[in-house]
Amino acid sequence: MEQLDRNGIALQVVTPQYSYDSNLLPGDVATQLAYAKVLNNSMAKLMEDSKGRLIAAGTIPMAGFEQGSRQEMERIIKTLGLKAIGVVSNMNGKPLDLPEFEPFWAQAAEMGIPVYIHPNNPVSTTGRSYEAEYDLIHNFWVAL
């Protein structure tokens, strides 16, 4: 909180930036979900310890939405009191607008949950060549 005070910041939003890319977090959906739960519990504690100065988001493995992530999403908001969900802009190279991710988007809309999309480089721009035009990861870091 000292940094917030020193810079005259009353409130800050904190999001986990974690990719469930199988190269970074190998394992099945249950392993990834267990990791997400630990991370979400830590984000809730961070928010609680800040006494209202930090507003935290949670995370879920999108690939396992119907194998436990839907329930974790509800726990994040209803039980832990987190305020949003953070995801990366592609999952194992798959863009977030694919039909397989529609259950996640529908649940987020139904629950009224803000979704923070952290930009990351596409695995390949051949299937979505327009992504190369934006160079998202470098724009993000420059903006800091």
Side-chain angles (χ1 to χ4, degrees), residues 28-98:
D28 57 14
V29 172
T31 301
Q32 293 180 2
L33 190 57
Y35 181 83
K37 288 179 180 182
V38 169
L39 183 56
N40 293 329
N41 291 341
S42 296
M43 294 300 285
K45 178 149 179 39
L46 178 72
M47 192 168 74
E48 180 183 326
D49 290 350
S50 78
K51 297 178 177 57
R53 303 269 319 265
L54 299 176
I55 303 298
T59 185
I60 58 169
M62 301 254 299
F65 193 72
E66 299 300 342
Q67 292 87 35
S69 290
R70 177 184 297 274
Q71 292 80 7
E72 180 61 8
M73 191 171 174
E74 290 180 7
R75 185 182 84 92
I76 287 168
I77 303 301
K78 295 177 180 177
T79 303
L80 297 180
L82 301 181
K83 306 301 182 192
I85 299 290
V87 297
V88 292
S89 59
N90 72 71
M91 299 291 167
N92 285 323
K94 295 179 180 180
L96 299 178
D97 59 353
L98 290 179

Side-chain angles (χ1 to χ4, degrees), residues 2-4 6 12 18 57 59 63 87 110 116 120 135 144:
E2 292 173 20
Q3 288 181 346
L4 295 178
R6 186 171 51 248
Q12 182 173 346
Y18 191 79
T59 185
V87 297
E110 182 180 311
Y116 171 76
N120 65 342
D135 193 22
L144 291 177

